Amino acid sequence: MATRETATLEKVPVTVITGFLGSGKTTLITHLLRHAGGRRLAVLVNEFGDVGIDGEIIKGCAIAGCPAENIIELTNGCICCTIADAFIPTIEALMALDPRPDHILIETSGLALPKPLVKAFDWPDIRSRITVDGVIALADAEAVAAGRFAPDAEAVDRQRAADPGIDHETPLSEVFEDQIACADIVLLTKADLAGPEAIAKARAIILAEAPRALPIVEVVDGAVDPRVILGLGAAAEDDLDARPSHHDTATDHDHDEFESVVIDLPEQDDPALLAARIVDLAKAQNILRVKGYAAVAGKPMRLLVQAVGARVRHQYDRPWRAGEPRQGRLVVIAEHDDIDAQAIRAALVPPAKAAE
């Protein structure tokens, strides 16, 4: 039988959870925390934007197996770009917790490339104590089936033949392809919204992008047996060559293609009207993602808002705390050329509301 001393010499497994904006990463992590099976879990959340919405959602779950001090957020910086400055010290802090976590979950931002993060686990300071148990990529079934992140290779070839200087690959497709290429398992999320035909199409697109055979699991509301995705023993840091990336030959990368705007919201009269404004905004300005929360007049609960494109979901998640300002806040994310902060603010906060 292993003693407590020898047990602590075992590497702590880390699961990297990647996926495009709104693919359901936070929902999955919340499910894993609620079905931890006795594991002591810690969570590292990497946000793109100024407001740690995802970390706030997870902390609001009040799960005994993962207390608030086991949840750390990195905001205003893509984790794959801040390895030395942010990631390593954060992992060190999680490893120093007493009791030490049995398993660490890392939720990357929707814009993060997973391979640079996996490479960081080869750093001498942490390699002997921690390992990448697996990389889980989440893909929105409807979005993938619609072809938003996987361009038609034949169409690209025709375009390149007609114009050799054309930029044939969008930033979104690069992010999507890198996430699939680095994955050990792909979770096809929101399968209930997609339907059989779209699911079959999404599967075909993902398998066409994958550099090797990958299991694809359909998931609704993040509900997956933890045994399917935790305990894979992939040691991904030792398997980098099998996980190709568009950026393998680059010394670094940036996310100048994307930008975020934070919008403060006054108290809302009707959640449906707020959702309608988000839908109109997404259609008019090609917005990728909206997430945050709002205060609704006469309601003691905070309204959680999540939107992917023009698809909006909202629900009351927790009571407003004593002394907490009833102030709403939304993070709006889009490609750089589609961000117009003034127009976004005008769309979400009508003049009559702004004047109140």
Side-chain angles (χ1 to χ4, degrees):
M1 179 182 295
T3 65
R4 173 67 178 171
E5 182 178 359
T6 58
T8 58
L9 297 178
E10 297 176 2
K11 291 185 178 183
V12 174
V14 173
T15 295
V16 175
I17 299 174
T18 186
F20 197 73
L21 300 163
S23 59
K25 299 187 296 296
T26 302
T27 301
L28 172 66
I29 289 177
T30 301
H31 174 81
L32 292 175
L33 292 177
R34 288 174 172 158
H35 300 84
R39 296 181 183 89
R40 291 189 302 273
L41 298 178
V43 181
L44 171 56
V45 179
N46 182 214
E47 292 272 27
F48 184 83
D50 293 319
V51 184
I53 298 298
D54 292 346
E56 174 69 15
I57 294 169
I58 293 170
K59 288 178 180 178
C61 293
I63 298 167
C66 185
E69 59 268 23
N70 283 33
I71 300 170
I72 296 180
E73 298 170 80
L74 295 179
T75 59
N76 264 349
C78 168
I79 196 171
C80 59
C81 303
T82 58
I83 296 298
D85 294 337
F87 171 69
I88 298 297
T90 302
I91 288 294
E92 293 279 5
L94 289 176
M95 294 289 287
L97 291 171
D98 187 13
R100 193 180 73 168
D102 296 320
H103 203 114
I104 297 174
L105 308 176
I106 298 181
E107 177 189 343
T108 71
S109 82
L111 307 177
L113 305 179
K115 187 168 181 177
L117 175 58
V118 174
K119 283 182 178 179
F121 286 85
D122 198 33
W123 282 42
D125 288 349
I126 62 172
R127 179 176 174 79
S128 63
R129 295 180 291 148
I130 202 163
T131 183
V132 182
D133 180 66
V135 178
I136 313 302
L138 275 63
D140 183 303
E142 281 189 321
V144 174
R148 297 172 190 164
F149 316 126
D152 184 328
E154 293 183 1
V156 168
D157 287 341
R158 291 194 295 269
Q159 289 174 326
R160 293 179 71 182
D163 183 0
I166 193 169
D167 181 12
H168 63 275
E169 194 160 46
T170 67
L172 300 187
S173 70
E174 283 197 7
V175 173
F176 175 74
E177 291 162 12
D178 273 28
Q179 290 171 350
I180 296 300
C182 197
D184 293 291
I185 292 180
V186 176
L187 300 186
L188 200 56
T189 62
K190 305 174 188 175
D192 55 328
L193 302 178
E197 184 177 344
I199 288 173
K201 186 174 182 180
R203 281 177 171 272
I205 291 172
I206 290 168
L207 290 174
E209 295 294 346
R212 60 196 180 283
L214 283 179
I216 301 175
V217 179
E218 296 172 27
V219 175
V220 175
D221 293 331
V224 61
D225 190 327
R227 294 174 298 177
V228 174
I229 60 175
L230 301 183
L232 299 181
E237 68 274 17
D238 296 329
D239 189 33
L240 291 171
D241 289 344
R243 303 166 191 267
S245 166
H246 288 282
H247 301 269
D248 279 340
T249 57
T251 55
D252 57 13
H253 71 280
D254 57 50
H255 295 301
D256 291 342
E257 304 97 338
F258 305 97
E259 195 169 330
S260 65
V261 173
V262 178
I263 305 296
D264 290 326
L265 294 178
E267 193 171 68
Q268 303 293 302
D269 296 322
D270 184 352
L273 292 179
L274 175 61
R277 288 198 293 271
I278 293 173
V279 170
D280 291 343
L281 172 67
K283 292 178 178 178
Q285 299 190 47
N286 197 30
I287 300 301
L288 300 173
R289 184 81 163 96
V290 178
K291 56 183 178 178
Y293 49 87
V296 179
K299 300 293 185 180
M301 302 282 285
R302 189 181 71 168
L303 184 74
L304 181 66
V305 180
Q306 302 269 14
V308 181
R311 191 171 69 209
V312 184
R313 289 184 176 183
H314 53 80
Q315 65 188 61
Y316 293 101
D317 70 331
R318 66 164 174 81
W320 289 96
R321 300 185 180 101
E324 183 180 17
R326 289 176 60 90
Q327 172 72 56
R329 180 166 283 192
L330 297 178
V331 177
V332 180
I333 303 174
E335 293 191 58
H336 178 79
D337 292 344
D338 293 320
I339 283 285
D340 181 334
Q342 186 173 354
I344 290 170
R345 188 167 286 104
L348 293 177
V349 186
K353 271 289 178 187
E356 291 178 3

